[in-house]
Amino acid sequence: MGFARTCSVALVGVEGVVVEVQADLEPGVAAFTLVGLPDKSLTESRDRVRAAVVNSGGEWPQKKLTVGLSPASVPKAGSGFDLAVACAVLGAAERIDPRVLADIVMIGELGLDGRVRPVRGILPAVLAAAEAGYEQVVVPECAAAEASLVPGVSVLGVRSLRQLIAVLADEPVPEEAPDEQGRPDPLLAGLRVPGTGAHSMGATQHDPGHDLSDVVGQISARTAVEVSAAGGHHLFLEGPPGAGKTMLAERLPAVLPRLTGQESLEVTAVHSVAGLLPPGKPLIDVAPYCAPHHSATMQALVGGGPSIARPGAVSLAHRGVLFLDETPEFNSQALDALRQPLESGHVVIARSAGVARFPARFLMVLAANPCPCGRFSQRDSLCECPPSAIRRYQARLSGPLLDRVDLRVEVDPVSRAELAHRGPGGESTAVVATRVHAARERAAARLAGTPWRTNSEVPGRELRTRWHAARGAMDEAERNLERGVLTARGLDRVLRVAWTVADLVGHDRPDATDVALALQLRTGVPRGVPMAIGALT
């Protein structure tokens, strides 16, 4: 009779639970039983592990073998338990000293030839192991850099089961033949299956070639982008095709500050679960950008799946930008599903196998044409759409969703004179990003000691009671509330935007000019104030 145990991690969303993998050998008819609520892919590990052990030079025990995954009440899914199961079996067979295995967490899939393949979610799995007090983890060699991001954990990267057996048994480590240079690593196959991740939903890294100076004109829209980045305010851009809405949205991530260490781990954990970490760069330290197509389903936007919940576009845009181009063309139910994560900053997905929670603190940018043909305007009559078609088109965006958008700007068509102008363009991304960074620092100093980091996160009650605007500054906004132009939520959002404008221009508290600009960005009604932040400083 032999017994051994080691550990692995079961992921539920981006949260992990340490699972004890126990192997027991008893005399009897040779059989392999796997218990502990495994899914189909985990049940198939019996055949993978047996072949991997034999092809790695080990001897498979011809006894009654039972492998248990504890706690048995937690659903286990995926092939990341293969390495732990193989080592537990070898420990029970006394090929490896069981005492060596007890305090090691092992994560990795086994090929039939014994090679160790990477799996999704290495970073959150190692984070869960570290929080549980484990100090040693074994992961695939190609994922060792990702696992090493977790402080206080000793990481061993292995390329094959044969290597791991030698290390644990204190034997000479065999050398593995390197793959041919210039060819893709076959061990990475399956992590980025086409059509199953964020690349199919438009999740990309920021292109450094995009600069705000490329945008012609659009002073109001450029100001809205700057205010949005400084305070984390959601933005709605409405205008005809070709006016620059997409250009502005694509340049917004570069204006945002770089992610902090904790934010980088959060974003990297989500992308690790989705299998979308950039090759050779295990840590994401810049704001992500996700632009799903308007045919995306509710599950693609907020997350989900038939059995194991996967992160959706709102989670892949965590701490970054979610851009919904042609917003009225999205499914209305899918759009309304964004209302809860916009308020809470996370998504909770309930399935029969369990409940998954994904972070979703993103900056949303909506873009839409004013009508089906895109030419409707108050200034001319080029639009040929009937009034009923215009109303139906604009009604696809529900009032409750738009009420959660702080900034609403009309993007005007670009004139011939603006396109022909050969002088210096607008301010560059670097200039705007400097002001945004300074504004964020002012807000952080004011909000020190609170759970909030940006003005958009502060509850309205706290703004009204702890951080007051200048005397009389909110009079016009309150009159708009009485006339029904603003809702109570809208009034709070105007105050949040006014604080962001004050941070950008260096005011200690919002004055009447700051509130007037916030009202103009909220309602679109001119208030007689300069639209460029540079003109107010």
Side-chain angles (χ1 to χ4, degrees), residues 238-241 245 368-385 390 393-394 410-411 413:
E238 185 180 34
K245 303 186 294 294
N369 297 326
C371 68
C373 76
R375 295 183 294 178
F376 176 75
S377 173
Q378 301 291 340
R379 301 178 179 84
D380 51 49
S381 57
L382 296 176
C383 174
E384 298 179 356
C385 301
I390 297 175
Y393 185 80
Q394 296 178 346
E410 183 175 350
V411 182

Side-chain angles (χ1 to χ4, degrees), residues 345-366:
H346 62 266
V347 174
V348 177
I349 303 170
R351 292 292 183 268
S352 58
V355 178
R357 183 181 185 274
F358 294 103
R361 181 71 65 182
F362 57 94
L363 199 163
M364 182 177 67
V365 179
L366 308 178

Side-chain angles (χ1 to χ4, degrees), residues 251-447:
R251 284 149 180 80
L252 179 55
V255 181
L256 295 173
R258 296 187 75 87
L259 302 180
T260 64
Q262 180 60 35
E263 291 172 344
S264 295
L265 288 178
E266 294 174 3
V267 174
T268 304
V270 175
H271 284 70
S272 177
V273 170
L276 292 167
L277 289 181
K281 188 179 181 182
L283 182 67
I284 299 177
D285 57 358
V286 296
Y289 174 80
C290 189
H293 190 261
H294 61 256
S295 62
T297 63
M298 184 186 300
Q299 288 75 19
L301 284 180
V302 301
S307 56
I308 304 174
R310 297 294 185 189
V314 296
S315 298
L316 296 170
H318 179 59
R319 301 297 181 186
V321 177
L322 175 67
F323 177 48
L324 303 182
D325 199 6
E326 304 293 345
T327 310
E329 303 297 337
F330 280 80
N331 181 276
S332 58
Q333 292 182 342
L335 289 177
D336 286 335
L338 301 176
R339 287 153 54 181
Q340 286 84 359
L342 284 174
E343 294 287 342
S344 63
H346 62 266
V347 174
V348 177
I349 303 170
R351 292 292 183 268
S352 58
V355 178
R357 183 181 185 274
F358 294 103
R361 181 71 65 182
F362 57 94
L363 199 163
M364 182 177 67
V365 179
L366 308 178
N369 297 326
C371 68
C373 76
R375 295 183 294 178
F376 176 75
S377 173
Q378 301 291 340
R379 301 178 179 84
D380 51 49
S381 57
L382 296 176
C383 174
E384 298 179 356
C385 301
S388 58
I390 297 175
R391 285 194 300 269
R392 284 195 302 269
Y393 185 80
Q394 296 178 346
R396 294 178 183 176
L397 300 181
S398 67
L401 176 63
L402 289 179
D403 200 35
R404 289 168 168 82
V405 179
D406 298 351
L407 311 173
R408 308 175 190 175
V409 178
E410 183 175 350
V411 182
D412 297 324
V414 180
S415 67
R416 178 181 177 183
E418 290 174 327
L419 284 175
H421 179 64
R422 299 187 180 276
E427 292 179 321
S428 66
T429 295
V431 173
V432 176
T434 300
R435 283 202 300 263
V436 168
H437 181 71
R440 289 248 181 167
E441 287 186 337
R442 293 189 186 98
R446 183 173 62 253
L447 300 175

Side-chain angles (χ1 to χ4, degrees), residues 210-215 222 225 248 251 255 426-429 432:
H210 290 167
D211 196 279
L212 270 175
S213 60
D214 300 333
V215 181
R222 289 170 57 94
V225 167
L248 288 164
R251 284 149 180 80
V255 181
E427 292 179 321
S428 66
T429 295
V432 176

Side-chain angles (χ1 to χ4, degrees), residues 2-6 21-25 32 48-62 65-67 82-101 106 110 114 160-169 171:
F3 176 83
R5 64 182 178 87
T6 187
V21 181
Q22 305 169 341
D24 178 70
L25 280 175
F32 187 175
R48 291 194 300 270
V49 169
R50 182 187 292 110
V53 169
V54 172
N55 291 326
S56 298
E59 183 179 349
W60 187 258
Q62 298 301 314
L65 171 62
T66 303
V67 174
D82 289 2
L83 199 58
V85 171
C87 289
V89 172
L90 292 171
E94 298 183 351
R95 176 65 177 86
I96 303 174
D97 187 350
R99 294 173 296 181
V100 177
L101 301 173
M106 301 185 181
L110 285 175
S160 68
L161 180 60
R162 188 189 303 270
Q163 281 185 338
L164 181 58
I165 294 174
V167 171
L168 297 177
E171 299 172 353

